Amino acid sequence: MVTYQYNCETDGPTDVSRPMGEATQTIECPVCNQQAQRVFSMPLVSAVDQKRMKLIDSTKATSDRPEVVTSIPNDGRRKKQPMAPNNPLLQKLPRP
Ligand SMILES: [Zn+2]
């Protein structure tokens, strides 16, 4: 059984359980017996793991629109370049 949602213009949304694929475009509203239109909603969107969806989205994005960077990403292993060569004589010189 699948839960389908219908919307009555006067009474609002109604949920109806039907076997899969047997939902009709309209049902009789259980309150006022007028025709209620079927509402198409995305099932189980809130049940999807948000972290997993972000990972899937970013993985898909790298294939067709890679992220533009302005500098080399810092991976924590890169050493800072010294301002001057590591010569003891040069270290005695005045610094700007
Ligand atoms: Zn109604």
Side-chain angles (χ1 to χ4, degrees):
M1 295 293 259
V2 184
T3 303
Y4 296 98
Q5 196 176 47
Y6 292 86
N7 190 46
C8 173
E9 285 182 13
T10 50
D11 303 308
T14 311
D15 289 337
V16 177
S17 285
R18 293 271 166 87
M20 185 174 271
E22 292 189 18
T24 52
Q25 275 303 311
T26 57
I27 58 162
E28 279 190 6
C29 174
V31 182
C32 65
N33 290 332
Q34 288 183 343
Q35 293 293 302
Q37 288 286 328
R38 185 175 169 195
V39 177
F40 291 92
S41 57
M42 283 225 264
L44 298 174
V45 167
S46 59
V48 175
D49 186 4
Q50 293 299 311
K51 273 188 183 171
R52 187 171 296 172
M53 283 307 292
K54 234 180 186 178
L55 179 64
I56 291 170
D57 286 346
S58 63
T59 305
K60 280 182 183 171
T62 54
S63 62
D64 57 16
R65 47 185 161 83
E67 210 173 305
V68 177
V69 294
T70 55
S71 63
I72 299 168
N74 188 3
D75 62 357
R77 288 178 296 163
R78 178 176 294 272
K79 280 186 179 175
K80 268 193 169 180
Q81 283 288 332
M83 290 288 284
N86 201 9
N87 185 330
L89 293 174
L90 293 175
Q91 288 185 359
K92 290 178 181 171
L93 291 172
R95 302 214 171 242

